[in-house]
Every structure is written in C-alpha cells, then in structure tokens.
Amino acid sequence: MMKKIVIVSIICLYSVLSLSEDKGFAFTPYMRGVICNQIQAYQAAVNILKEVLADEPNNDKAYYQIGVSYFKLNQQDKAISAFEKSIEINPKNLAAYFDAGVVYFERKHYEKALKLYQRANKAMPNQDFYHNIGITQEMLGKSVKAIEAYQKSIEIKPKLDSYYRMGAIYSKLKQHQKALDAYQQATNINNFIPEIYFRIGYTYEIMKKHKKAVDSYKRAINLDPKNLINYKELGISYYNLKQYNKALSAFQKVLKIKPNDHHGYHNTGLAYYKLKQYQKAIDAYQEAIKIKADSRGAYYNIGNIYAILKQYNKSTNAYQMAININNKNIDAYVRMALNYLNLKQYKKAIGVFQQAIIVKPDNYKLYYSLGHTYNELKQYKKATKTYKQAIKIDPNQGGAYINLFELLLIQDQVFGQKLSNTFKKKFSSDKDRIMSFDVFNIFKKIDMNGTLKQTWQQNFRSKHKNAKFKDWVWGDIEDWINNKTKSRMALQSALKFFKTFNEFE
C-alpha cells in the first residue's frame, strides 16, 4: 500500500515544485500551461504548451509540463517522449527523471525505470531517488539491493516508508529480528500508524513470541479499532498462548465487525473446541459452512468433534463432505478409516485406505495403517505385502519393520539378510526397536533349532538392561506357538521369560 502511494504521488509533488522554481509569475503562455495542469485542464495545457514549444524548442520545463499533461491524460508513450526530451535538454531536471521513472514503473518496465533513477542519482544523490530505486529493485526481485537502496535513502534522511519496506523485505527473507528493528525505527518517526504495529505483532507471532505479539496487536487495535485483521491475529496469538477465552473474545469481535466473515466463525469454532464446548464449536463451523459451502476445514473439524464424542457415523459423514470438496484431503480419509476401525467395520476401513492410496500412492502412513488393518483381520499375506510397500516408500520408519518381522515370524518366513541388516544399520541407536527385533530373532532361532544355549537369557538381559516391553500384545505370537509341535515347549519358555522381563528390570 505505501509503495504505490509514494510512487504515484511524485508527479503531483514535482509539478508543484516545477511551478515554484519558475522565476516570476508573469502570465506567459508557459505559465498558462502550468496553471492548466494545476487545475486539471490537461488537454488545454497540451494545446498551450505545444505553442510554447513551437516557439521555444529547447524549453525543458515546457517538455516536462506537457509530459505531466500526457501522463494525466493516460497517453503514456507521449508522456515518456516528453520527459526524455526534457532530460535530453537539461540532464539536471530531476522532476523529469522522477516522472519518466514513474511511467515506466506503472507500465512494469522496471529495468528502464531503474536506469533513469540511477542516472539521476549519480548526478545528484537524492533521498527519494534512493527510495524509488529500492521499490524498483523489489519489483525486480532483488531484495538485497532494495535494502541497500533504502538504507542509502535513510542515511540522507530517515524516512518512515523506507524503514517499513525494509521491514517487509527482512520478513520475506525470514530475518525477523532485522524486520522488527526496521519496523521499530518506523514507529520512532510516527507511532500512530496501526499497520506498522500489526506488522510488528505478526513478526513476533512468527518468532513464537506470542505475548509480545499480543501487545503489538492491542496497540494496532487502539489506533484502528474497526480493522478486523487486528482482532483476528490477536485471537490467534491468544490461541497460541492457550488463553482460549481471550481468543474467543477476539474472534467474536471479528464477527461483530463483519458478521458474515467465514474465518471469524471458523476460528470461533477452534476456540470453542479447545474449551471443550463441542456443540458451540459445531454450531460455529456450521455457520462458516453457510457462508462458504466448500469449507472443507469446517467439515473436517466437525468430523473430529463427533469422533471425540464417539458419534462415529456423524463424524464419517462430515469427513465425507470434506473429501467431496477436496478429494486430496488425506487426513480426512485417515480419520474416516479410523472411525470404521472403532466400529470394527474393517472392510470399510480397508476400502477408505485404498481410496486414499489412489490419491496419494507415495504416502507411507496410508500403507502402514492399511497393513495394521489387514493384520487385525489376520490377513497376514496382505499385511506383509503392505508393510513392505510402506518400507519401500520410507525406509526410515521403524514401526513398519517391527510389524513386518512379527508377521514373517508367525508365517514361518525368513527375515532375509538384506532386510535384517538394513534394519539394524538404520536403527542401531533405537533400543526399543532393536530389542523387539532380538525377540523375534530369538523366537525364529528356537523354532528352527528346537532350543538355544542356556546363556541366551543372560545375554539378552545384559544387552537390554533397564529396557522395558511397552504395550506389547502377545496374542498372535501365542497362537503361532500353540500351533507348534517340536519347538513348542522351548518357545513357551521363551515367551514366559519375555512376559516377566519387566519384573526383573
């Protein structure tokens, strides 16, 4: 916003300066042309100034003034031509440089604008030239050079807009402390601009300094109490501070200013959710949906609330609406499948995971969860295949390896040297997973050999001293052992050892 105001205002500014620089106020044809520009009679000014130039072809000021007229008449090619002629006659005519640069800037000919500003600045360094060089460099995507130009402008004379724009660039570059310093310098020049305090608050928010963000947003609100964006971000800061009642109050202020604000209702729903006022949260999300029917986030959050309330059918319907709006919403698929798992409707859960995999075939978690579901149904071959695919997608996820080793064990399949070595190499520092692998490996060796040396228990206890079996479910392994004949007693002895291991550690 400030960028445009500064650039566009230059023509009006330098038209006035040009008039004030003329010696004397004799009512000459040239003066009549200048006055016509001042009273916005631009076509009349063109007609008069053409007569002046016919008599005085080297009158650089007349060329400048007719350039202003053409600019105001939106005849930019003619304006550029006139400004450049003025510069050709008088290379020190700063106003012509400025306004020619403005025309090029507005036409998005940034390189040409930059060259004009740089030429003028080389001849006579000027704060406003440096500032406009900074803006033009921004448009060219040259952030560092833009900052350098703004700093040069400030060295000549501190300028609020230069500090402000520097702050915005530093924010973009994620140099947040420098951004704060620049914004603070801007407030030292004028501490009554709410937008700057908003920017300070937003920067603190990014830096996770939520309390300072709150203070800045409050200052912005004091200066501009009707701007809903300040209340919105204030609410988000309170939300991050887990002060949910205050967040709710801020979000409700948004709705008071703009009763049909979709985000206001959505954020209100978030606050009610954290306050465990679930029905009010649902009501808020439904209001958001009335305003914006394709609000997938609102449907998704409604689904989450119904899941908490164990109203799984309503939850599933909400997730389905979210998917209908955006069929790439993987989280909604996963949550819907979990609903079916809670309802023990495993086949439906499998169907949902398979739909999600079609949408996102490279998602490790989908294959992992699908493998778990197959496992629940004791469809071990399918589970094995699925866990292998999960590992193929992301070889750094240990859970799939552990589940796969257990499935290979109870299906009497070999672990495979390559798989085992890869696992041990990747997870050598993960004590819990290495212990799990050792358990399965011991069972496998006992099954193959009928027994193990008596020292294996001592060795296991020594290697995994102070470790614990956490949340182990032995059911599948017990079933596998009970179906054995030759090695059953040795396997049962090992199982007893592992089940009581925590008692001795």
Side-chain angles (χ1 to χ4, degrees):
M1 182 176 70
M2 291 187 177
K3 167 188 67 182
K4 188 173 182 181
I5 291 172
V6 171
I7 288 286
V8 172
S9 67
I10 288 173
I11 281 190
C12 298
L13 170 66
Y14 277 89
S15 295
V16 174
L17 290 177
S18 178
L19 177 62
S20 66
E21 287 173 358
D22 288 308
K23 295 179 180 179
F25 288 88
F27 204 63
T28 62
Y30 167 74
M31 287 304 304
R32 290 205 309 274
V34 173
I35 291 169
C36 284
N37 270 344
Q38 298 305 308
I39 64 174
Q40 300 181 12
Y42 302 119
Q43 188 57 56
V46 167
N47 296 336
I48 293 168
L49 291 166
K50 279 183 176 180
E51 293 179 7
V52 172
L53 289 170
D55 294 334
E56 304 176 48
N58 291 322
N59 189 329
D60 65 286
K61 292 181 180 179
Y63 273 112
Y64 170 75
Q65 287 294 332
I66 201 171
V68 171
S69 305
Y70 282 132
F71 179 85
K72 294 296 185 179
L73 290 168
N74 203 30
Q75 298 180 33
Q76 294 181 332
D77 287 334
K78 290 182 178 180
I80 283 288
S81 180
F83 290 141
E84 289 185 340
K85 186 65 176 177
S86 177
I87 293 168
E88 180 185 333
I89 295 168
N90 180 9
K92 294 184 179 180
N93 188 341
L94 297 186
Y97 285 104
F98 260 109
D99 294 348
V102 169
V103 178
Y104 280 131
F105 188 94
E106 291 204 341
R107 299 180 81 175
K108 298 185 179 180
H109 296 167
Y110 301 125
E111 291 285 2
K112 290 182 178 180
L114 182 62
K115 286 180 181 178
L116 276 173
Y117 294 142
Q118 288 173 333
R119 277 177 59 195
N121 214 27
K122 188 174 181 180
M124 188 177 296
N126 178 284
Q127 177 194 29
D128 292 325
F129 277 132
Y130 276 121
H131 181 81
N132 279 10
I133 287 170
I135 294 175
T136 310
Q137 295 284 24
E138 277 192 70
M139 295 301 104
L140 291 168
K142 298 177 180 178
S143 299
V144 175
K145 289 186 176 181
I147 289 173
E148 290 173 357
Y150 291 134
Q151 288 172 333
K152 290 286 186 180
S153 173
I154 290 165
E155 285 174 11
I156 295 171
K157 184 179 178 181
K159 184 179 180 71
L160 183 145
D161 195 39
S162 291
Y163 280 120
Y164 176 86
R165 299 196 70 87
M166 281 175 60
I169 295 173
Y170 280 130
S171 292
K172 183 179 178 182
L173 296 173
K174 298 183 180 180
Q175 298 180 28
H176 301 305
Q177 187 56 54
K178 288 184 177 181
L180 285 175
D181 293 341
Y183 290 138
Q184 190 59 56
Q185 290 292 338
T187 64
N188 291 340
I189 296 172
N190 185 340
N191 63 352
F192 293 101
I193 299 179
E195 184 180 352
I196 297 176
Y197 286 103
F198 169 81
R199 291 282 185 173
I200 291 172
Y202 195 75
T203 306
Y204 276 131
E205 193 64 35
I206 293 171
M207 297 171 73
K208 301 187 184 304
K209 296 182 178 181
H210 306 305
K211 290 182 179 179
K212 289 187 175 182
V214 165
D215 293 338
S216 296
Y217 290 137
K218 283 182 175 179
R219 183 64 186 271
I221 287 169
N222 288 336
L223 294 168
D224 187 6
K226 295 184 179 180
N227 190 334
L228 63 85
I229 189 66
N230 294 323
Y231 291 103
K232 174 189 172 185
E233 296 300 331
L234 175 64
I236 290 172
S237 294
Y238 278 132
Y239 185 91
N240 288 324
L241 287 168
K242 299 183 180 181
Q243 298 180 24
Y244 300 121
N245 281 310
K246 289 182 178 180
L248 178 62
S249 177
F251 295 142
Q252 288 174 332
K253 286 283 182 64
V254 171
L255 293 173
K256 188 174 182 180
I257 295 170
K258 187 180 178 183
N260 65 339
D261 186 82
H262 161 260
H263 294 293
Y265 280 110
H266 188 94
N267 290 336
T268 298
L270 286 174
Y272 277 130
Y273 171 80
K274 288 295 186 179
L275 291 167
K276 297 185 179 180
Q277 298 182 35
Y278 295 128
Q279 188 55 54
K280 287 184 177 180
I282 290 171
D283 293 342
Y285 288 130
Q286 287 175 337
E287 288 297 323
I289 291 166
K290 288 179 184 177
I291 297 166
K292 191 172 183 290
D294 62 345
S295 179
R296 63 180 182 272
Y299 280 115
Y300 177 78
N301 289 343
I302 288 172
N304 290 343
I305 293 171
Y306 279 130
I308 290 171
L309 298 173
K310 297 185 178 181
Q311 298 181 34
Y312 297 120
N313 288 325
K314 287 184 177 180
S315 174
T316 297
N317 291 337
Y319 290 138
Q320 187 61 63
M321 289 299 296
I323 290 169
N324 291 345
I325 294 167
N326 177 14
N327 69 353
K328 295 183 179 180
N329 188 342
I330 297 301
D331 287 340
Y333 285 105
V334 172
R335 296 273 186 164
M336 184 191 296
L338 291 176
N339 283 345
Y340 285 129
L341 291 175
N342 283 320
L343 291 167
K344 300 189 183 304
Q345 297 178 12
Y346 298 112
K347 290 183 179 179
K348 287 185 177 181
I350 288 170
V352 173
F353 283 130
Q354 289 173 334
Q355 289 178 45
I357 286 170
I358 292 171
V359 176
K360 192 73 173 175
D362 60 345
N363 188 300
Y364 152 82
K365 291 182 179 180
L366 294 175
Y367 284 98
Y368 182 82
S369 298
L370 178 59
H372 176 73
T373 309
Y374 280 133
N375 207 352
E376 287 290 321
L377 290 172
K378 298 188 183 301
Q379 296 182 19
Y380 297 136
K381 289 183 179 179
K382 289 183 177 180
T384 299
K385 182 179 179 181
T386 309
Y387 284 132
K388 285 182 177 179
Q389 185 61 31
I391 290 170
K392 184 178 179 181
I393 293 169
D394 189 350
N396 297 310
Q397 298 294 335
Y401 283 94
I402 296 303
N403 290 349
L404 178 58
F405 285 129
E406 183 175 2
L407 283 174
L408 293 173
L409 173 69
I410 64 178
Q411 293 177 92
D412 294 320
Q413 296 180 20
V414 297
F415 292 170
Q417 196 64 44
K418 183 178 179 181
L419 180 69
S420 298
N421 289 341
T422 300
F423 171 80
K424 288 187 286 186
K425 183 177 179 180
K426 285 184 176 295
F427 302 99
S428 59
S429 61
D430 189 329
K431 294 180 180 180
D432 288 339
R433 289 196 169 113
I434 291 295
M435 183 173 74
S436 298
F437 174 76
D438 286 349
V439 169
F440 299 139
N441 208 32
I442 287 167
F443 278 134
K444 174 66 74 175
K445 289 179 178 179
I446 291 173
D447 184 45
M448 292 174 63
N449 302 322
T451 185
L452 285 179
K453 292 181 179 179
Q454 292 182 350
T455 56
W456 77 263
Q457 294 183 2
Q458 181 181 347
N459 292 338
F460 184 92
R461 196 180 299 282
S462 176
K463 181 177 180 180
H464 300 293
K465 187 178 181 180
N466 299 323
K468 299 286 185 182
F469 284 97
K470 300 175 183 176
D471 303 320
W472 271 69
V473 178
W474 299 96
D476 288 339
I477 292 177
E478 286 178 333
D479 291 342
W480 171 72
I481 290 173
N482 290 334
N483 287 324
K484 293 292 176 180
T485 54
K486 182 179 71 172
S487 56
R488 184 191 303 166
M489 289 184 63
L491 289 170
Q492 287 176 338
S493 175
L495 178 63
K496 183 178 180 180
F497 169 77
F498 292 131
K499 279 187 172 183
T500 59
F501 184 77
N502 290 352
E503 298 175 13
F504 298 96
E505 295 301 314

